[in-house]
């Protein structure tokens, strides 16, 4: 027979269990993945064209955040996607060149460029056709194809997908600083592609394919969150907004000059700011709205713009019809 | 070019007998399969020991289910299985292991996008984001993913190479479906990209390397209109290409289609002088194949 005291104790435990379990499962991210601070700073610096000297602009942007890179290994992760004769698809080599010079001038031990393109297997073709190969040769900078890097298996630090674990390249994991260098572009599936979506490129294609289809099946927004939540290293974003892309991005859109470089150490805040620059409401972008809960700041009141004001560079980026709901901001 | 490539491959072979994507990187099945095929074209005893070590590396790493993983670190079967099957079939040793690999390939297929996509394709194709026949099954890069052009082309080439030994209704059906899938994914005007010819109503351009690989897989239909159109498209795409990988695949393709490749080989050598092929093992191996009579490797 169950005595009264034991019955009450068991009943209490039974009624509390779902509550405790519910609390425990209320956030789909590990505690270690939480990196949101009270406020984030994002710098917007003017850069009229790729023909103007950009090293000092990049240096100014880095200095605003007091990054200490002396003796460190810095990995620059541009967005290198396709043959791009008009300079609209890929992060422009002039911006990458300026970043190499700037980080070297701050005493970085090595600055290397690394990418794992999503569609193109022929890295040599991408590098030569984009002008990146000649630039890297001039700088004697190393390029690492992340699709073929040695890898480590990491448990994902959030559970927005059901992937649970992914392989990450050792070049990225061993870096002292990872710099996401996307271009400001619309994206026909994700809405925008900026510093967080740019991290798709670090997932090795030799394992996951060209395209990295398994991430698409798992959900693009969800994969962006899981990948960014799992990257353990210090991060910095340097966004090429000198000429962006509007319309049917990330490949077939049209050039949209904005004349800015955007800097920040909170990817979510940088992406939210870039989205506002594009007159796209970041809270309408699924991955950004969710990232704002744990990865960084997305709401305007938590982001301090330093450098120039956002307003003077804001552009009305055209989006495809199915993404019109993102355009709740006006230019 | 030939001597440079041979020297590179012999020097880049890891102590375990395999090759990594670059010298010093962990051995992987893709680089090792291509390096093995390339060294086989050398035909003298100086590379014999290297070939034997490569064969040992590959045959020791076959999974119980017949597949090969990409590296020692990754146990599940991978898309590189087709390349190992092709290389073992061409070398003519370890035939049973090649057949087990072929059977594993026959058990793999691209993910089914679902009945709704099938219905839309039949009744309202304009509602689909991509213009392709979702009912055709080829091969994916990784299990549970969609069928794409390059892994399908590799699997087709390997299965066709072993066709006399894997004759079965299943094998014939998969080969036929794989071919239909490639033709279905062809871009307007000929050629292939990774596997989407139209997305959201916009035509996507073909890639030269993928086009050459697909044409190699379909070279037993070389007089077909689609093949000839794609062959012309490939020549057009190569106008400004400076890449050892793409030029190697293109040379192997042109050779299989009976074209003179001497001028292309010279251009490939000039490209090597500029880029060093980024020190990529597979490109050096393919360049060696393309500089000799490596097209035979893919002949069915």
């Amino acid at each position: 027979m169950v005595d009264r005291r034991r019955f009450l104790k068991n009943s209490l435990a039974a009624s509390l269990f779902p509550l405790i379990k519910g609390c425990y499962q209320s956030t789909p991210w590990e505690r270690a993945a939480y990196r949101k601070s009270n406020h984030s700073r994002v710098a917007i610096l003017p850069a009229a064209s790729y023909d103007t000297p950009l090293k000092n602009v990049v240096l100014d942007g880095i200095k605003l955040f007091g990054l200490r890179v002396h003796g460190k290994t810095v990995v620059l992760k541009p967005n290198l996607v396709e043959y791009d004769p008009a300079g609209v698809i890929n992060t422009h080599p002039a911006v990458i060149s300026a970043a190499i010079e700037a980080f070297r001038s701050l005493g970085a031990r090595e600055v290397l460029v690394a990418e794992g393109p999503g569609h193109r297997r022929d890295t040599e073709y991408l590098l030569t056709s984009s002008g990146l190969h000649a630039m890297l040769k001039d700088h004697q900078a190393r390029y690492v194809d992340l699709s073929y890097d040695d890898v480590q298996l990491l448990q994902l630090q959030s559970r927005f997908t059901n992937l649970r674990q992914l392989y990450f390249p050792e070049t990225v994991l061993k870096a002292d600083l990872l710099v996401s260098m996307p271009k400001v572009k619309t994206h026909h599936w994700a809405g925008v592609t900026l510093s967080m979506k740019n991290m798709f490129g670090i997932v090795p294609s030799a394992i996951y394919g060209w395209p990295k289809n398994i991430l698409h099946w798992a959900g693009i927004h969800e994969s962006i969150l899981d990948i960014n939540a799992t990257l353990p290293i210090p991060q910095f974003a340097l966004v090429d907004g000198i000429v962006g892309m509007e319309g049917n991005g990330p490949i077939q859109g049209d050039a949209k000059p904005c004349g800015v470089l955007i800097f920040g150490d909170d990817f979510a805040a940088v992406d939210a700011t870039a989205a506002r620059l594009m007159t796209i409401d970041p809270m309408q972008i699924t991955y950004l709205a969710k990232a704002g809960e744990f990865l960084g700041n997305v709401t305007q009141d938590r982001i301090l713009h330093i450098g120039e004001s956002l307003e003077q560079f804001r552009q009305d980026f055209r989006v495809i019809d199915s993404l019109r709901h993102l355009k709740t901001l006006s230019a | 070019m030939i001597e440079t490539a041979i020297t590179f491959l012999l020097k880049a072979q890891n102590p375990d007998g395999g090759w990594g994507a670059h010298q010093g990187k962990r051995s992987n099945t893709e680089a090792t399969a291509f390096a093995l095929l390339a060294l086989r074209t050398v035909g003298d005893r100086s590379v014999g020991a290297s070939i034997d070590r490569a064969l040992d590396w590959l045959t020791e790493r076959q999974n119980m289910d017949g597949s090969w993983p990409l590296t020692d670190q990754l146990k599940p079967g991978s898309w590189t299985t087709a390349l190992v099957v092709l290389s073992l079939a061409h070398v003519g040793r370890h035939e049973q292991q090649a057949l087990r690999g072929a059977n594993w390939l026959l058990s793999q297929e691209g993910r089914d996008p679902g009945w709704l996509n099938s219905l839309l394709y039949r009744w309202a194709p304009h509602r689909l984001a991509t213009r392709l026949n979702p009912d055709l099954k080829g091969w994916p890069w990784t299990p549970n993913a969609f069928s794409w052009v390059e892994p399908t082309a590799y699997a087709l080439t390997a299965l066709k190479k072993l066709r006399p030994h894997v004759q079965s209704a299943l094998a014939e059906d998969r080969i036929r479906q794989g071919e239909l899938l490639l033709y279905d994914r062809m871009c307007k005007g000929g050629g292939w990209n990774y596997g989407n010819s139209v997305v959201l109503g916009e035509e996507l351009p073909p890639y030269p390397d993928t086009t050459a690989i697909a044409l190699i897989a379909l070279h037993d239909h070389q007089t077909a209109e689609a093949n000839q159109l794609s062959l012309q498209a490939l020549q057009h795409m190569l106008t400004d290409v400076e890449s050892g990988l793409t030029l190697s695949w293109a040379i192997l393709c042109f050779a299989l289609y009976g074209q003179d490749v001497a001028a292309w080989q010279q251009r490939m050598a000039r490209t090597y002088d500029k880029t060093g092929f980024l020190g990529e093992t597979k490109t050096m191996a393919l360049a060696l194949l393309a500089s000799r009579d490596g097209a035979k490797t893919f002949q069915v």
Side-chain angles (χ1 to χ4, degrees), chain B residues 28-191:
Chain B
N28 77 56
T29 38
E30 182 195 29
T32 304
F34 281 134
L36 170 64
L37 287 171
L39 289 177
R40 275 281 296 184
T41 65
V42 176
D44 72 55
R45 278 190 287 175
S46 64
V47 299
S50 183
I51 288 174
D52 288 343
R53 287 169 55 219
L55 278 168
D56 287 346
W57 189 89
L58 286 171
T59 51
E60 285 165 9
R61 278 157 182 81
Q62 187 171 29
N63 289 326
M64 292 295 286
D65 62 7
S67 68
W68 272 267
L70 178 66
T71 68
D72 278 343
Q73 206 183 358
L74 307 152
K75 289 300 171 201
S78 74
W79 56 275
T80 60
T81 298
L83 301 176
V84 186
V85 170
L86 176 67
S87 56
L88 294 185
H90 184 68
V91 170
R93 285 149 67 178
H94 309 286
E95 201 171 72
Q96 286 308 309
Q97 288 190 268
L99 283 171
R100 284 176 54 216
N103 283 327
W104 182 81
L105 284 174
L106 290 173
S107 72
Q108 302 295 304
E109 63 179 29
R111 183 168 173 160
D112 189 338
W115 59 269
L116 183 60
N117 277 283
S118 282
L119 271 183
L120 284 172
Y121 176 73
R122 280 179 175 73
W123 301 106
H126 59 282
R127 300 288 298 273
L128 287 172
T130 52
R131 188 182 67 195
L132 50 83
N133 182 346
D135 297 333
L136 293 171
K137 300 285 189 308
W139 281 265
W141 288 104
T142 184
N144 291 321
F146 203 48
S147 307
W148 298 104
V149 166
E150 195 168 330
T152 298
Y154 287 149
L156 278 179
T157 307
L159 290 173
K160 286 180 180 182
K161 193 84 181 172
L162 276 175
R163 209 169 197 165
H165 306 283
V166 293
Q167 275 182 340
S168 68
L170 173 65
E172 291 308 313
D173 179 55
R174 292 302 308 277
I175 288 172
R176 189 176 156 275
Q177 271 217 49
E179 289 177 343
L180 289 173
L181 180 138
L182 289 186
Y183 287 124
D184 180 62
R185 304 286 183 96
M186 193 176 83
C187 297
K188 189 180 177 186

Side-chain angles (χ1 to χ4, degrees), chain A residues 39-67:
Chain A
H39 289 88
S40 300
R41 297 186 308 151
V42 175
I44 299 157
L45 300 183
S49 82
Y50 296 112
D51 299 325
T52 57
L54 295 173
K55 179 192 163 189
N56 286 337
V57 183
V58 173
L59 203 51
D60 289 346
I62 295 168
K63 283 179 176 172
L64 284 169
F65 292 85
L67 292 183

Side-chain angles (χ1 to χ4, degrees), chain A residues 45-46 51 97 100 111 118 137 164 166 180 182 185 280 288 307:
Chain A
L45 300 183
D51 299 325
S97 172
I100 293 171
V111 184
K137 209 169 174 179
R164 295 200 296 182
L166 280 174
S180 182
K185 293 190 291 186
I280 285 174
L288 268 178

Side-chain angles (χ1 to χ4, degrees), chain A residues 73-212:
Chain A
T73 299
V74 178
V75 172
L76 306 180
K77 162 61 182 78
N79 188 217
L80 186 59
V81 188
E82 267 292 351
Y83 173 54
D84 183 20
V88 185
I89 301 171
N90 305 319
T91 307
H92 199 283
V95 180
I96 304 168
S97 172
I100 293 171
E101 290 179 12
F103 280 111
R104 278 182 176 171
S105 73
L106 291 169
R109 186 172 62 83
E110 185 179 15
V111 184
L112 55 90
V113 178
E115 167 68 306
H119 292 158
R120 287 273 192 181
R121 287 201 68 190
D122 190 349
T123 304
E124 188 186 354
Y125 172 67
L126 274 183
L127 291 183
T128 53
S129 65
S130 65
L132 205 54
H133 183 262
M135 185 275 284
L136 292 173
K137 209 169 174 179
D138 285 348
H139 284 297
Q140 295 186 310
R142 196 154 62 95
Y143 176 85
V144 176
D145 184 349
L146 295 177
S147 288
Y148 280 101
D149 203 18
D150 289 340
V151 292
Q152 287 179 28
L153 185 64
L154 297 187
Q155 297 298 319
L156 296 175
Q157 294 298 301
S158 63
R159 296 175 295 279
F160 292 95
T161 69
N162 58 6
L163 295 171
R164 295 200 296 182
Q165 50 190 19
L166 280 174
Y167 286 94
F168 286 83
E170 288 190 346
T171 296
V172 168
L173 297 177
K174 287 177 178 170
D176 297 305
L177 179 69
L178 173 65
V179 184
S180 182
M181 298 185 63
K183 204 170 177 68
V184 171
K185 293 190 291 186
T186 52
H187 190 288
H188 52 217
W189 308 128
V192 292
T193 173
L194 297 160
S195 60
M196 288 179 70
K197 171 70 173 65
N198 190 34
M199 291 297 106
F200 254 49
I202 69 167
V203 177
S205 293
I207 300 172
Y208 298 108
W210 294 262
K212 302 168 196 193

Side-chain angles (χ1 to χ4, degrees), chain A residues 225 255 324:
Chain A
L225 289 161
R324 278 202 181 149

Side-chain angles (χ1 to χ4, degrees), chain A residues 232-249:
Chain A
I233 54 169
Q235 300 161 357
F236 191 67
L238 195 180
V239 182
D240 174 3
I242 295 175
V243 177
M245 179 186 281
E246 67 175 355
N248 186 15

Side-chain angles (χ1 to χ4, degrees), chain A residues 120, chain B residues 189-192 206-216 226-241 245-255 257 259 261 264 267:
Chain A
R120 287 273 192 181
Chain B
W192 287 264
Y207 301 164
D209 51 336
T210 324
T211 298
I213 293 165
L215 279 171
I216 287 169
N227 292 45
Q228 290 302 315
L229 187 67
S230 296
L231 205 58
Q232 285 172 23
L234 175 58
Q235 281 175 331
H236 180 70
M237 281 182 257
L238 292 173
T239 309
D240 298 319
V241 170
L245 185 75
T246 289
L247 289 170
S248 299
W249 278 121
I251 290 166
L252 291 165
C253 170
F254 291 149
Y257 281 72
Q259 297 191 359
V261 294
W264 293 109
R267 187 164 146 194

